[in-house]
Amino acid sequence: MENDGIIIESHPWEPFVPPGAKILIMGTFPPGNHRWSMDFYYPNRTNDFWKIMGLLFLGDKEALYDRENKRFDVDAIRRLMTDRKIALNDTARQVRRLKGNASDKYLEIITPVPLYDLLREMPHCHAVATTGEKAAGVVADITGTQVPAMGRMVEGADALHIWRMPSTSRAYPLAVEKKAEIYEAMFRAEKIL
């Protein structure tokens, strides 16, 4: 489907919802598949997300990275997310890339995620954490809340905790260890760590 010559892309993956999920982490939309090192959320090997998760849960930012094959270990990632009861999805179902790149700045969201439908599938989930400014804005629009300050939480309907975390993109100028400190505080507040 096209509009003004720009292709509308649909999200490539179903939500990852492990049994008993306690928190839903949401980015905006995956980069183009030419940037994927695996067929799963946060697939770009330069993205800091899996480094943060490795550092926080396994004590090593490279724990989820397969250096030999230059990609993330998707099986280890799925096990970790299942063990920690962390669900993953993105805030957009369909987008248009206005500049042909992965930048959220040039990403037009055509269809946002049906967040409340997704949360109904996760009765133990009482927290949503967004990984970046655009994702935070989408969740705020859906929930009718304010966009939280970086590393902070606002409360939505039914006592839903809505967190805004730093972007895990390398374009966001903060060291992975500093990003991890902010994520650690959120995971501790939500009793994930």
Side-chain angles (χ1 to χ4, degrees):
M1 187 181 287
E2 292 187 28
N3 186 2
D4 298 332
I6 300 174
I7 295 171
I8 295 176
E9 294 179 51
S10 294
H11 202 287
W13 306 304
E14 292 296 316
F16 178 78
V17 181
K22 294 181 179 179
I23 188 168
L24 172 61
I25 298 180
M26 305 185 83
T28 307
F29 199 80
N33 61 7
H34 65 286
R35 297 203 180 272
W36 296 2
S37 73
M38 64 176 173
D39 193 11
F40 196 64
Y41 291 89
Y42 302 96
N44 189 334
R45 69 177 194 245
T46 65
N47 189 288
D48 287 335
F49 187 81
W50 297 117
K51 293 173 185 174
I52 293 167
M53 297 302 111
L55 195 57
L56 294 179
F57 296 115
L58 303 169
D60 177 4
K61 67 182 178 182
E62 300 296 325
L64 298 168
Y65 189 68
D66 176 354
R67 283 190 169 280
E68 185 177 325
N69 295 305
K70 295 183 180 177
R71 59 188 221 159
F72 290 107
D73 182 342
V74 71
D75 293 330
I77 284 168
R78 286 176 178 273
R79 282 192 304 273
L80 178 63
M81 296 296 97
T82 298
D83 290 347
R84 293 299 177 149
K85 300 182 180 336
I86 298 171
L88 300 167
N89 197 18
D90 287 317
T91 57
R93 288 318 253 147
Q94 291 185 312
V95 300
R96 290 189 324 150
R97 295 183 201 277
L98 303 178
K99 295 277 184 177
N101 62 31
S103 172
D104 279 0
K105 184 177 179 180
Y106 302 110
L107 201 63
E108 177 187 5
I109 296 177
I110 303 298
T111 308
V113 68
L115 180 60
Y116 288 112
D117 291 346
L118 182 57
L119 289 171
R120 275 192 281 280
E121 296 175 30
M122 298 181 273
H124 302 288
C125 181
H126 301 289
V128 171
T130 59
T131 59
E133 183 177 5
K134 188 160 193 120
V138 173
V139 170
D141 287 347
I142 292 170
T143 60
T145 58
Q146 294 295 312
V147 173
M150 182 67 63
R152 302 287 186 193
M153 180 267 293
V154 297
E155 196 168 295
D158 298 324
L160 179 68
H161 293 177
I162 302 166
W163 292 85
R164 177 181 170 199
M165 307 312 293
S167 171
T168 58
S169 168
R170 281 286 175 89
Y172 187 75
L174 192 62
V176 67
E177 292 80 8
K178 293 292 184 188
K179 290 179 186 181
E181 288 175 13
I182 299 168
Y183 278 80
E184 179 179 11
M186 180 267 300
F187 282 131
R188 288 196 185 283
E190 296 299 334
K191 298 178 176 39
I192 304 295
L193 260 173

